[in-house]
Amino acid sequence: MKLAEILKGCTPGKIQSVGVMQVIPLVSEMSDESFVSPNQSAKVSTSGYGTLVFKNEQKETMIIPPQAGYVVKQSAQDHALPHVGVVEGKKTASFDNAMCIQQSQGGYVASGEHNMMILPFPLREKAHKVRNNRGYDRLWRDISTLNNRAGVKSSSGAAHLEYFLNSFKEQLDRFVAEFEPVDKQVGAIILINGRVVGVERTPSYDYWTSIWSALIRECYGSLAIIEANDYDNKVPPTRVPLRKATSVSDLKAALKEASDEEYARVKKIVNDIADIDMGQKVDNTVSNSSGKVDVEELSSKRFVGQIVRKGETVVYASLVATKEWRDNEEWNEAESFEM
């Protein structure tokens, strides 16, 4: 399957740019209201370490985003689900391959309408690769690596994701205020430091709005914070400095020039990835009253993730750039030699 097929029926909105992060809204006239997110319909709990329970209180089918997590205020072990979950309408489903994301905290999460987050970007590929494994502690080493990379210190040294989230709370909150959903938006392409790091598509406008904060805040916001520090706030190649203006009308012209040039630069990057072929494999099939829903893994050297298909229609997709590709992106994208 090509990336362009996943985004079929979508058109790009106006690019939103703040610092090292850029977001291309994906808008569509198609909105499938037969699916809901956990933030729209779920009561969530844990029934054991490594087991997340979702009670779908709506009649629509619930799609749980891959790497959805719950950091609760209770004295209980925070958890995350490493893969897409599908729960039929008015049903309850348990997932016993969830991951604990708070090493030294005990206790089970009581059933409630807990706010969903999505794991920070550096953890998403790690979680995806072990999504079918067991072992509630299998992400602890990666959480410790993330905390160390971000300069987050703890007296215990334990692998607690909330240490990272609490350390950067103000910066993460700022992303939610600076990037906003637009009319008829169902997804987004996210760039950081001029490189595509994620492609997200959801079934409907309401679904997108319900998970937007989790994506832009904890997931992609975390990477923007880390990379802004890594690159000493160097201006990304897709950002265009504003030229000096001599009047208000000239300032408007300068803003349009910069916006048009940014769009041209980003357009080339996105068009380059639209034709990428990704391997396709069925992970799970769920049959319910509204028909069959397939959860599939997509993978390539450049992206990994999962999609949800209803028949031939891709109703949900969440893909992240691989670490291997990102580590070698400058070489991979270099111009071929010519005499």
Side-chain angles (χ1 to χ4, degrees), residues 108-156:
Y108 296 161
V109 176
S111 180
E113 295 178 355
H114 304 294
N115 190 49
M116 183 189 77
M117 50 84 78
I118 292 178
L119 288 180
F121 180 92
L123 298 176
R124 290 196 60 190
E125 183 187 2
K126 301 285 187 181
H128 172 82
K129 287 182 174 180
V130 297
R131 68 191 184 283
N132 296 320
N133 297 358
R134 294 292 186 275
Y136 60 77
D137 61 347
R138 62 194 189 278
L139 205 61
W140 287 354
R141 180 181 297 178
D142 299 307
I143 292 172
S144 292
T145 299
L146 170 66
N147 286 341
N148 290 335
R149 182 183 177 190
V152 174
K153 306 297 181 183
S154 69
S155 56
S156 66

Side-chain angles (χ1 to χ4, degrees), residues 3 10 26 41 62 79 126 160 170 189 195 231 259 271 299 309 312:
L3 184 62
C10 294
L26 297 173
S41 67
M62 182 168 64
H79 276 68
K126 301 285 187 181
H160 281 233
E170 288 186 11
I189 298 172
R195 294 168 175 171
Y231 291 93
S259 178
N271 285 343
S299 61
R309 285 196 304 111
E312 295 302 313

